[in-house]
Structure formats: C-alpha cells, structure tokens
Amino acid sequence: MPTNFLTKTMRILAFLLLTCFVSVCSAQNSFRVVPLGVRGGGDDGNLSAYMVAPVNSNAYVCLDAGTVTNGISKALTNKAFSVAADVVLRKYIKAYLISHPHLDHVSGMVINSVEDTAKNVYGTEYCIETLKSHYFNWKSWPNLTNEGASPALKKYSYKMLGEDQEVDIEQTEMSVKIFKLSHSNPYESTAFLIRKGEKYVLYFGDTGPDEIEKSDKMQQVWKAVAPLVKAKQLAGIFLEVSYTNKQPDRQLYGHLTPKWLMKELNVLSEISGAGSLKGLNVIITHMKPTADNESQIKAELASDNALGLNLIFPEQGKAFELK
C-alpha cells in the first residue's frame, strides 16, 4: 500500500478522533436549560422555573418552581423532551432548589407535590422554615415533606444549605454553593452556583442592587465568581430584570432594572478585569408582563450593553444550551 495513502488515512483518522474528542469535551462542559416559566408578576402559567442539567443527562434540577406542569406541557410542544409529561415531572426533575419562598417561585412545586415522586428540596433556613410554616402545614397544603406539621408524609425531604459550603445535589452530577441575597431588605433570597466538573452556571433569585438594598450581598457574589469569569468557566448568569428604567428606585421592592443590572455587572467586570465579560451569557429572568414592559426592557438592555454581553431572553418551553 502506498506510503502517501497511509499517511492521508492516518491524518483523516486523527482529525476524526480530535473532532470527536472536542465534541465530547464540549458536551461535558455544557448545560442544557429548559425554562418551565420565565416571567415575574401575575402570569400564573409562566412563573420562574428553570430545569438545568449537564448536556446528555436527564438528571435535572429545577431552579425555582413557580410554574411546573404548564411549563412541561409547553416544553413537550416545543419538542424539548420526547417522553410523557409525567416522566419529566416524576423522573427527570431530581430536586428543587428554591431561592426564596414567594408564591411566584414555589407555587408549581407545592401544587404538583401530590402527583410528584420523592425529591429533595434545597434552600436556606429562612426559605425552608417558611415552606414548613406557611405552605406544607396541613392548612395551606398537606405536609408532603419530612418535617413540620404532623403527620409529615415524607415525600419531599428538606435539605438546608448554608453559605461557604459546596454540596452535592443527590441523584445528579452537579453540586451547588449558595450566596444569600437581599430581596427588599431585610428579606432574603438566594443565588445558586451550580457546578459540573470545571464548568459553572450562576442563578440569582429575586434581588435588588446593593446600593438600594444598603447591602454588599451582590458584591460578595461577584468576588466569588470573578475567577471563574477570568478562566472562562462560568457558562452563564441568570439574573432578573423586573422593571424598566422608568421604575423609581424607591419602588423597586428588591428587584432590578436594566440600568441597575448593568451597574452590577460593571462591578463584576471591575473585579474580573476589563473585557472579561465580553460574550458572557446573561439570561434575563423575571420580567413582569405588564403593558410593553418586556419590549422596553429588551431595548434598554441592548442600548446599554457596553460590556458586550450575550443577552439571552428565555422563552417558556424552549430549550437552549450554555457553553
């Protein structure tokens, strides 16, 4: 067999192996997101809930759970899943991570708990104590959890999360670290830093800017994730924008506007280094669907995007990947 033929063949094989290796590595370093609900406010069929898993895995966590089954139905319509809705609810969602106990972030989980399978519910002490006292208490809803009002039916198990620790999320390949946030001080919310291998995603529950909240909570998050931004290990940031820039600061009620989101991300840029946020995926959550609020928010963000962020506006039921 001619030498040049063997050489060409070996080159082709090497190229194919390299392509395969790069593809596998890329998949391993990616997250798949299926938004079950994307809005804030009164759209009770489309409230904050994001299923997240490593690409090629069906072991998801659900980050907040304002809307669940309606979102799964929309996801099936958009061919995000090829199984029945009850399989997604009962088998694909392995755990709920609840940022704070407001109804627009928990109602889907509570209402669907009767039909659900055994799962862990992760949250801060503040969040879990509220779920115990005000929801799963046999007055608002049967106590399907492992603690609280008797009888505790033990379907869901509370997993209390503290700061400065990374915890494996059971039945998944992911781990989580939390940061407490201020959501109309003194009330709390949470940011979840999810890790798979050397790649991360950062999810913020509802929060106001440090300057308005008289807090340093967001700055502490930025300090923690700045090295990940520098190293290109942060696949994306989920961050809320509830109002347009017309909303007075005194009426933010623990939320962000486009102006304040960009101010906060400029703080991150200052810590991580000039140009470090260019192309970073920022997923805009919790837009309130009043009047032309959403289109105005999108326009204001686009016009003030000096950092070169890749702004993503998720749609209910439409899956996407973060790399």
Side-chain angles (χ1 to χ4, degrees), residues 13-306:
L13 287 172
F15 174 77
L16 291 173
L17 286 169
L18 179 61
T19 302
C20 182
F21 175 77
V22 170
S23 177
V24 169
C25 288
S26 177
Q28 289 176 342
N29 290 325
S30 304
F31 294 92
R32 187 170 192 258
V33 181
V34 183
L36 302 185
V38 303
R39 289 174 171 165
D43 190 346
D44 58 7
N46 189 8
L47 297 172
S48 297
Y50 297 86
M51 290 177 64
V52 175
V55 166
N56 299 327
S57 170
N58 288 325
Y60 289 82
V61 296
C62 196
L63 300 169
D64 283 331
T67 294
V68 177
T69 53
N70 193 58
I72 292 172
S73 176
K74 291 290 177 66
L76 294 179
T77 299
N78 289 307
K79 303 188 184 307
F81 300 109
S82 58
V83 295
D86 66 318
V87 174
V88 178
L89 172 67
R90 296 166 63 84
K91 294 185 178 180
Y92 282 15
I93 298 175
K94 301 297 185 183
Y96 294 104
L97 276 65
I98 305 299
S99 67
H100 64 294
H102 284 171
L103 275 170
D104 58 333
H105 293 256
V106 302
S107 59
M109 177 187 72
V110 174
I111 290 169
N112 289 288
S113 57
V114 175
E115 303 299 327
D116 207 349
T117 49
K119 290 185 172 71
N120 290 335
V121 178
Y122 293 85
T124 61
E125 180 179 8
Y126 167 79
C127 181
I128 287 174
E129 288 303 321
T130 304
L131 290 173
K132 282 186 198 177
S133 301
H134 297 287
Y135 298 114
F136 293 112
N137 60 6
W138 287 107
K139 295 177 181 178
S140 300
W141 203 252
N143 183 13
L144 294 158
T145 77
N146 61 328
E147 298 177 25
S150 183
L153 301 182
K154 302 182 180 180
K155 178 180 283 188
Y156 288 169
S157 295
Y158 292 125
K159 298 291 182 180
M160 199 173 293
L161 299 173
E163 292 184 293
D164 301 319
Q165 59 177 319
E166 184 178 39
V167 175
D168 289 338
I169 303 170
E170 294 177 21
Q171 299 186 65
T172 79
E173 303 173 76
M174 296 172 285
S175 59
V176 62
K177 184 176 181 180
I178 70 157
F179 304 88
K180 292 182 180 179
L181 303 172
S182 181
H183 181 29
S184 196
N185 204 348
Y187 302 109
E188 284 185 11
S189 183
T190 315
F192 297 111
L193 184 62
I194 306 293
R195 180 175 68 84
K196 165 60 170 69
E198 298 302 314
K199 207 72 171 179
Y200 297 77
V201 290
L202 176 63
Y203 175 87
F204 282 84
D206 294 357
T207 189
D210 281 348
E211 187 175 330
I212 302 300
E213 295 286 317
K214 309 300 180 188
S215 162
D216 67 348
K217 298 296 188 184
M218 292 195 78
Q219 186 178 47
Q220 294 305 314
V221 181
W222 301 142
K223 287 180 179 178
V225 303
L228 304 179
V229 173
K230 280 184 181 179
K232 305 300 180 185
Q233 292 177 271
L234 188 62
I237 300 175
F238 292 76
L239 193 54
E240 69 115 291
V241 180
S242 294
Y243 303 110
T244 70
N245 287 332
K246 293 179 181 178
Q247 189 78 1
D249 287 348
R250 67 181 182 278
Q251 294 177 355
L252 290 181
Y253 311 115
H255 294 292
L256 295 171
T257 63
K259 173 189 74 175
W260 282 113
L261 175 137
M262 290 302 179
K263 281 189 175 183
E264 285 293 346
L265 288 174
N266 270 288
V267 174
L268 174 58
S269 180
E270 289 169 8
I271 299 169
S272 59
S276 59
L277 271 63
K278 186 175 181 180
L280 177 66
N281 296 316
V282 177
I283 303 92
I284 305 302
T285 67
H286 208 266
M287 291 189 290
K288 293 180 181 288
T290 54
D292 62 346
N293 199 47
E294 292 176 278
S295 61
Q296 284 295 314
I297 287 172
K298 290 177 181 179
E300 289 170 359
L301 286 169
S303 67
D304 194 22
N305 188 14

